[in-house]
Amino acid sequence: MDSKVFALIGDPVEGTLSPMMMNAAFRSLGLNHAYVAVRVPGKLLADAVVGLRKMDIAGLNVTIPHKVSVITLLDGLDESAALVGAVNTIKNTRGKLIGFNTDGEGALRNLESRSVKVKGKRILLLGSGGAARAIAFSVAEAGADLTIANRTAARATELALTIEDKLGIKAKPMPLNRAKIKEAVKGSDILVNTTSVGMRPKENRTLVTSDMMHGDLIVFDIVYKPLRTRLLREAERAGAKTVEGLGMLVQQAALALEIWTGKKAPVKVMEAAARNELRRRAK
Ligand code: ATR
């Protein structure tokens, strides 16, 4: 059978769970493929892409710091990447490299897998970085009523304007301060944290506490180190439903695998591989 090589390029790549998820998925699907993580510093990206083309690498995942800069080195973009202006997945089809972005759809699939529908829901999104952009476009397209709050308020405004410009959908920008967030959470159905607040090693931090939440709220934190972030623990205390970030990591990887292979991804196998690796590292 065809043996193919896939890679993740980024800098750093040490903390990644992708090789474990992807190789477990290939094994489970009976595919003779291999996935490796390769550290590529920013200034070597263009050379690396030439090399990957020459080696006929079948597909790539792209992470920080290359998600935007890789675009000019590709032969085309799928709509998912063109909208967001960032690429996390590349498919090599007979030498043509096409960029995709599976983060937004991954977030939607993660919410769906927890029976959360976004259509018609009031979503308060915290953050305006790369992950926030992908999620914002996806939930706006899926029919959510979106508010974007960011510490640097100008970035929230810029993201809202880009969404309106590209999709013709209005999103509301706001600054990220406790009093304003408290008010906004009251009028929200779903709270999504895309900021790095609460990520290890500063895992005791949160932008929203239980006293600001209500029992009908759904709280989704894309941070997955730790798996149960302070924000999710605060949500539990308030009686709100919680959605872990590991699910999004798994779903965005599953979508990449589906783009490459055309086969349905074994999501449960991939999630188990990611959880095993996290457990192994915690020892
Ligand atoms: P990513 O691509 O992973 O989303 P990023 O582009 O660096 O990462 O974005 C990080 C997000 O977390 C930003 O929205 C950032 O806010 P700023 O735009 O104001 O920088 C947000 N963020 C990081 N640390 C924060 C903190 N201590 N309080 C509030 N927001 C924070």
Side-chain angles (χ1 to χ4, degrees), residues 122-126 147 149 172 174 176-192 207-219 231 235 238 240:
R122 296 163 302 176
I123 297 188
L124 175 60
L125 185 82
L126 308 179
T147 301
K172 189 174 158 235
M174 62 175 280
L176 206 168
N177 70 58
R178 200 175 153 84
K180 290 219 165 73
I181 291 296
K182 188 170 181 174
E183 229 11 73
V185 171
K186 271 188 200 153
S188 299
D189 304 305
I190 305 176
L191 173 69
V192 184
L207 294 171
V208 186
T209 45
S210 60
D211 55 297
M212 299 159 76
M213 300 177 186
H214 57 84
D216 295 325
L217 191 67
I218 295 162
V219 180
L231 177 70

Side-chain angles (χ1 to χ4, degrees), residues 127-131 150-152 155 194-197 205 207:
S128 295
N150 198 49
R151 176 178 63 181
T152 311
R155 286 184 89 192
T194 72
T195 75
S196 48
V197 176
R205 300 190 52 210
L207 294 171

